Amino acid sequence: MDSAATSFSSSTPSPVDYIVLLILRPIAAISFVFVFIALGWLLAWKLVLVHVPLVQEIFGLRKKPAKFKPQTRRISRYYNSINTRNSSAPGSGYPPVLVQCCHSSSIAIIKPNYSRVAISHLWSSLEPPSNRIRLLCSTFSQAMAPPAQSSRNPSPSQPSGKGEVSDLRSQLRQLAGSRAPGVDDAKRELFKKVISYMTIGIDVSSLFGEMVMCSVTPDIVLKKMCYLYVGNYAKVNPDLALLTINFLQRDCKDQDPMIRGLALRSLSSLRVANLVEYLVGPLGSGLKDNNAYVRTVAVMGALKLYHISASTCLDADFPAVLKHLMLNDSESQVVANCLSALQEIWNSESSTSEEAAREKEGLISKPFIYYLLNRLREFNEWGQCLVLELVAKYVPSDTNENFDIMNLLEDRLQHANGAVVLATIKVFLQLTLSMADVHQEVYERIKAPLLTLVSSGSPEQSYAVLSHLHLLVMRAPYLFTSDYKHFYCQYNEPSYVKKLKLEMLTAVANESNTYEIVTELCEYAANVYVAIARESIRAVGKIALQQYDVNAIVDRLLQFLEMEKDYVTAEALVLVKDLLRKYPQWSHDCIAVVGNISSKNVQEPKAKAALIWMLGEYAQDMDDAPYILESLAENWEDDAPEVRLHLLTAIMKCFFRRPPETQKALGIALAAGLSDFHQDVHDRALFYYRLLQYDVSSAERVVNPPKQAVSVFADTQSNEIKDRIFDEFNSLSIVYQKPSYMFTDKDHRGPFEFSDEIDNLTVGVESEHVVAATSVDANETSDLLLSTSEKEETRAMVANGSDYTAPFYDSSTPALPSQGQSELAITGLLGTADPGPQASTAIDDLLMGLDLTAPPAPASAPPPLKLNARAALDAGSFQRTWRELPVAISQECELGSQGAAALTSPQALLHHMQGNSIQCIASGGQSPNFKFFFFAQKAYEPSVFLVECKINTSTTKAQLNIKAEDQSTSHEFLALFQSALSRFGLS
Amino acid sequence: MISQFFVLSQRGDNIVFRDYRGDVQKGSAEIFFRKVKFWKDDGEEEAPPVFNVDGVNYFHVKVVGLLFVATTRVNMSPSLVLELLQRIARVIKDYLGILNEDSIRKNFVLVYELLDEVIDFGYVQTTSTEVLKSYVFNEPIVIDAARLQPLNPASMFMQGTKRMPGTAVTKSVVANDPGGRKREEIFVDIIEKISVTFSSSGYILTSEIDGTIQMKSYLSGNPEIRLALNEDLAIGTSGGRATYGIFQDLNCFSFVHHTDYRSSSGSGSVILDDCNFHESVRLDSFDIDRTLSLVPPDGEFPVMNYRMTQEFKPPFRINTLIEEAGSLRAEVILKISAEFPSNITANTIIVQMPLPKYTARATFELEAGAVGQTTDFKESTKRLEWGLKKASFLRYISGGSEHTLRAKLTFSQELHGNITKEAGPVSLTFTIPMYNVSKLQVKYLQIAKKSSSYNPYRWVRYVTQANSYVARI
């Protein structure tokens, strides 16, 4: 027993041992490993990872992109100070504070962040031992004191600049009163430091007082730096800004015109609203200064004032002063600045003040334009751009004037500055819009200068010019057909340039040059840059689709299929599909090649879908089509939904042609489709399933009806948009290929943008509603070079076709504002008809014949129309509504001779109509042609009417286009409007 | 109206930042840099020079690795802003002598001063170095020119010929020489960039010369200068002056477009397609004797840009031969021959050729006795690079010589299809000093004399560079 007990105790470990063995040891082992790993990571982090940009990105370590290190590191700072000051007093290798300290022995105020090196130097330089002891004490107390600075500031490379700032402050103070020679140089160094801190984002605003104190100096460099500083901080510290007013005002009266100008600029740049009162006086005298520099600055100052406080600027009557300067100043830069300033001021004022609107119109009046043109050579290139931009808005009264202006500007086309050339081209294009033949000549003329600009500047500049050339090529490709070689890509061009060039090559291809262009494009298809290779293949396809003789191109495309580069094959497949839709006669050749492509080599959904479409469409020509489809159906889940949809349809088509072979595939596909998680795939599978259940032959009629070859593929951009982009020539719209309203907010459109806006708008709307556009002003529709009607028709069809599905069953509900009349008409016609696929074409056909202007019959006798006398509509919503609504009524009416006589300026009619509760939102033109945009609002409803009214006083006719949110009352409104108009001039 | 202007370094650091109108948020530089850096995931496509993020339009140009950026909210003329950015870069260069990150950082106060005068409240005031001189007072801190990177555009002159002072182009227009006196000199550079595409059979598909006559004047007192070009110079198949007029017969308006100097295309004459001129150039006697007269403003500027598609003799011919040797091997033979006079030498030539993607290895074999030639196979981009340094050229390729490279390629997978579709084209970059292919010449450079002893240095220099020099295979 005993021995058993001992043997037990010796052979089996105690519970403590168990714990040690089973719990503690593993824990120890695990924790050891973890510590090891952690240490490893820590090491890696500290040594490597922190410096990896990506890691910094992820962990947000990178605070500011600014990496410019101010000299906060003690050692570098120390050495630096040695460098800069080693010529002055002994011991001046240390920052002045330190030096001060050691000389006055007041060591306790040593800053905690001075380096040990500095201290050791101090140590050796301090002769009396008592001082050494003090130093020791202060060093010790520093070491003991909590490192306040570092705790606030965990990353040592991100200085708060606190110490430096107070350091700078004391140095500035020291220098402020000093009149010693060479003090300006010291000040310059200090100021530079302050500004360098400022630019890297350290807040040095606390030095404001000292900086201002120091700037009492005749040294202009110092003054400039001080102004820069003040300008930067005044806005955030309005109270401090007050400090500067005094000395700035004094400087504004300085003898040196440079100082006057600079002070005035800084004064007006303070951007502090409550200081504007101090600004008016200096600005007023600045505008009258006899030095041109001061005047240029003052003009801009007036504009700045307008932005800080518009009322102050207007009360001081600065616009009038500017206008006077603009017309009389001898210095062109003053004139240019006045022009910019006035454009900005009047543009924002014109919506509220009639006078400003009139002044704005005055800028594009004949005398003023001629005045500017006569002085054009005096302006520098940027001023010329400004003037030319304005001239482009001017509408000459006769063609003689047109030619005079063009002859005058002709040599500007040879300017080396692309901006000047483009601005000139804009003038030329706008002037000749109504003269088709000259317009074409202009194209020929500007070709060479544009090409020179494209090839002479930096890639960025040539991109800007090339985008404009691109626009012109797209508008009139046939004028550029012989220049195609200029659009060949160079291997080292950036991809954004190459893309533009590819599009241009596509556009200019015609019978004579197609072969060469396609050969060139095929070279790019082997490009190492995949994106460009793809684009080039697409370009080949597009050329094929727009050509009559596609023989050679089809061969090329088929060669692509055999190139065995996956992306080439993929792009080519998509193209072959489109090609077959347009030219079914090529099916035989294509299918032979397509049949050889293994579906396994095609991965991209688009390409796979195209391949499957061809398999379905030409199932009878490809022997193994059913089997390929079957294997694809078996791997249902591998493909994208887009591909699955196509697969379903293709198998259906194949089934109708070769039922026995496809039956199995169909079964698999339908089963898989019905259990698909993708809604569309599921629905289509279900639809096919039920169709087949119902009747196989009608299913075939639905799924695989006889097809017509597609003649024109829909254009992605409407002509309305294209015209608007063209009207915004020489602006960002060209580069983005979007009209400006799509990318700018309303407040930031350029000067004059608004009135243009509406003009362009009308053009667009008119051309969209082909039927409604009865009278199209030749001056306005710029469709000289683009035959639009054909494309428009197809587009309209597409648009309406997609619209019809919107469910309007109840024709009595008033139309929402956003819905046009065309939908209403359809709704009325359809009633509760069941929309089926066959019906859609019928509706389209009907639509084409429908007169869109047909008024819908009013449901009940409406109450007499009353208008709201205080209707309000802002310009933005006017434009939006105008764009959304169709033209309800387009009619010509008689103005009456008295009316025509009374209409000398737009304002006259404007007042008259206001008396009839019809408000004007924009007006323009000169005798005899005027144009107005009116709006009116119903008395008790928000519904509005919009009117575009063009009046010709010589024929006494007025052309009205009325749009109404409530269509039913538009005729009553017309009657009201006409009667109001006819009363004009009688009173 | 420009809202902000800033200069970023390659890493995205803010070197200079100026806000003119305060209507764009402060973080725009960061937004911009992020957008440019990550434009497309695959990194193949560069960000275009103009783009819009949240209603703010960003314009940028790259100059010596720095990004010059402007932002605005209004719909401005893109070419105006891009031109302006380029101009600002040039003005800064005129002042600092050398444009790089370091020099801007050292002189940032001066740069701010310049920026304040160039743009006021978003409107451009002036970009002429000449005009700015009277408003700008800071002195540039000139950076040591010796620290220039070798690839600076200025360096192409340094190696070219001994008699040219290479540092002159990096001299600031305002800083005085250490001696205190400014050296009176003027530089006229005729720089031609040529683009040639050879077809696989070796004939020229397209060729174009884009030339610039660049001037940089350090003359005091702005004397007038006359610059005479070739007398047989002809401009334009379509580039002449046009007159827009009216013939009032039957109210029919027509447009007369006559070319004054339609090609007198005799042999040897230089025919430019088109050209444009700097604002200061007066063309009074250009039609008669082909002289340009101008009062050169300070700083660097292009007197004339021209474009030429007239046929010319390309300076190099390239022969490429690819032979398949079995299914996993191929041999590439590159041969370039120089076709310019033998007293002219070209600077570093680099021949590049993309190889098939599945190339695993390439071994090179240079001709016997080749000196100063380097060969490289860039694994990551699958490119062959063959450099011919100047050393070898002095000895072998001045004009008329020929060089060959044999490269044996090993593929990681079996060849299928045509290897020529997978490789190439061969591209060449080179610089040939004191040579221009267009034969456009500055016959004389006349400076209006102030006194008989006034005889400033005049440097007329020619350079031909490859822009896109490609031979297809």
Side-chain angles (χ1 to χ4, degrees), chain B residues 65-249:
Chain B
L66 300 172
L67 289 162
F68 284 70
V69 192
T71 63
T72 179
R73 281 188 181 274
V74 296
N75 189 10
M76 289 186 75
S77 158
S79 68
L80 186 138
V81 182
L82 293 170
E83 191 86 41
L84 174 70
L85 290 174
Q86 206 78 39
R87 236 25 116 64
I88 292 177
R90 199 196 288 159
V91 167
I92 295 177
K93 185 178 176 242
D94 280 344
Y95 265 86
L96 306 186
I98 302 162
L99 181 63
N100 60 23
E101 190 176 338
D102 207 25
S103 68
I104 294 186
R105 281 200 196 285
K106 280 233 165 68
N107 289 290
F108 70 94
V109 179
L110 170 61
V111 173
Y112 275 111
E113 201 183 346
L114 284 170
L115 287 177
D116 266 350
E117 298 296 341
V118 169
I119 304 174
D120 193 2
F121 204 51
Y123 291 101
V124 191
Q125 302 295 307
T126 180
T127 51
S128 146
T129 309
E130 177 91 20
V131 179
L132 285 170
K133 253 172 138 181
S134 53
Y135 306 142
V136 172
F137 301 96
N138 269 299
E139 296 260 321
I141 303 164
V142 181
I143 286 218
D144 193 3
R147 282 198 290 156
L148 263 184
Q149 297 99 328
L151 269 174
N152 194 292
S155 66
M156 66 192 181
F157 295 117
M158 292 191 189
Q159 308 152 352
T161 35
K162 281 137 266 162
R163 55 198 184 84
M164 243 175 279
T167 49
V169 235
T170 62
K171 204 166 73 175
S172 162
V173 288
V174 285
N176 287 324
D177 283 345
R181 230 190 87 244
K182 267 172 85 172
R183 191 150 91 143
E184 295 279 318
E185 53 189 344
I186 182 164
F187 294 85
V188 179
D189 301 331
I190 292 95
I191 303 169
E192 294 190 343
K193 290 185 283 181
I194 55 177
S195 306
V196 181
T197 310
F198 296 97
S199 74
S200 49
S201 49
Y203 90 102
I204 298 171
L205 283 173
T206 56
S207 63
E208 186 175 293
I209 304 172
D210 302 315
T212 307
I213 302 182
Q214 193 119 0
M215 190 178 273
K216 191 160 191 181
S217 153
Y218 295 97
L219 302 176
S220 58
N222 298 50
E224 185 176 314
I225 285 181
R226 287 169 66 79
L227 202 68
L229 305 176
N230 308 31
E231 274 176 24
D232 54 357
L233 182 74
I235 298 178
T237 42
S238 62
R241 281 184 65 90
T243 314
Y244 306 84
I246 316 169
F247 290 105
Q248 281 185 322
D249 291 344

Side-chain angles (χ1 to χ4, degrees), chain A residues 539-585:
Chain A
V540 174
K542 271 192 212 148
I543 292 176
L545 290 177
Q546 74 195 21
Q547 293 291 306
Y548 306 101
D549 177 31
V550 287
N551 224 329
I553 308 179
V554 173
D555 286 347
R556 300 296 182 91
L557 276 179
L558 296 179
Q559 275 172 23
F560 285 145
L561 286 180
E562 288 161 346
M563 250 172 78
E564 303 208 11
K565 282 189 183 178
D566 45 359
Y567 57 89
V568 176
T569 315
E571 289 294 335
L573 271 177
V574 177
L575 288 176
V576 170
K577 178 203 73 181
D578 285 341
L579 205 64
L580 287 177
R581 284 172 66 198
K582 191 172 175 186
Y583 308 104
Q585 67 268 29

Side-chain angles (χ1 to χ4, degrees), chain B residues 299-317:
Chain B
E300 191 179 280
F301 67 98
V303 176
M304 169 181 171
N305 294 310
Y306 57 92
R307 184 167 52 84
M308 200 172 137
T309 46
Q310 185 193 14
E311 267 182 39
F312 59 90
K313 199 173 173 193
F316 292 100
R317 286 208 167 261

